[in-house]
Amino acid sequence: QVQLVESGGGSVQAGGSLTLSCAASGLPFITSTMGWFRQAPGKEREFVAAISWSGGTTYYADSMKGRFTISRDNAKNTVSLQMNSLKPEDTAVYYCAARLGRQTVPMPTAYENWGQGTQVTVSS
């Protein structure tokens, strides 16, 4: 059974930082592309970042470039999202996702497995 468990969400003031983590089990993590998505109330799920199985390729949504950093530890089956310079518009539920394909793609439909999400709230 595949499990993706996010942690690290919380409340922070604008300009602050948070690091989200996702622990994966039940899947071939080392050959999985991992991604982070987010969904704000009343909005569609939005791509944040993705990382290839080796960590050698990363892909970010334009609004996250330079502020967010995705990384993975294949020895621990974890993927992280370091978020800096947070803005109120970053407020959302953040989801970890995994796909067996090698491409770091932004489409939610390309990811087969999802976590339950962790809330991030940024106040002004």
Side-chain angles (χ1 to χ4, degrees):
Q1 181 182 356
V2 176
Q3 280 196 315
L4 301 175
V5 181
E6 302 96 338
S7 61
S11 297
V12 65
Q13 290 192 327
S17 299
L18 281 175
T19 299
L20 306 182
S21 294
C22 173
S25 60
L27 78 166
F29 185 80
I30 198 168
T31 57
S32 296
T33 297
M34 302 299 296
W36 285 97
F37 293 79
R38 69 186 186 184
Q39 189 165 17
K43 295 188 177 181
E44 292 187 354
R45 193 162 295 190
E46 175 186 26
F47 171 73
V48 174
I51 187 166
S52 64
W53 67 274
S54 67
T57 300
T58 56
Y59 179 24
Y60 296 92
D62 287 344
S63 60
M64 286 70 163
K65 286 180 183 177
R67 298 192 301 126
F68 292 8
T69 302
I70 189 171
S71 60
R72 65 189 294 161
D73 185 335
N74 286 343
K76 297 181 179 179
N77 283 13
T78 59
V79 60
S80 298
L81 184 70
Q82 172 70 41
M83 305 185 294
N84 299 323
S85 303
L86 284 163
K87 306 174 182 179
E89 51 264 43
D90 293 318
T91 295
V93 176
Y94 283 71
Y95 297 90
C96 173
R99 68 184 300 265
L100 294 178
R102 288 184 173 268
Q103 289 78 23
T104 50
V105 296
M107 302 83 70
T109 53
Y111 292 76
E112 298 94 0
N113 298 292
W114 293 83
Q116 293 298 307
T118 185
Q119 177 71 46
V120 171
T121 302
V122 184
S123 58
S124 57

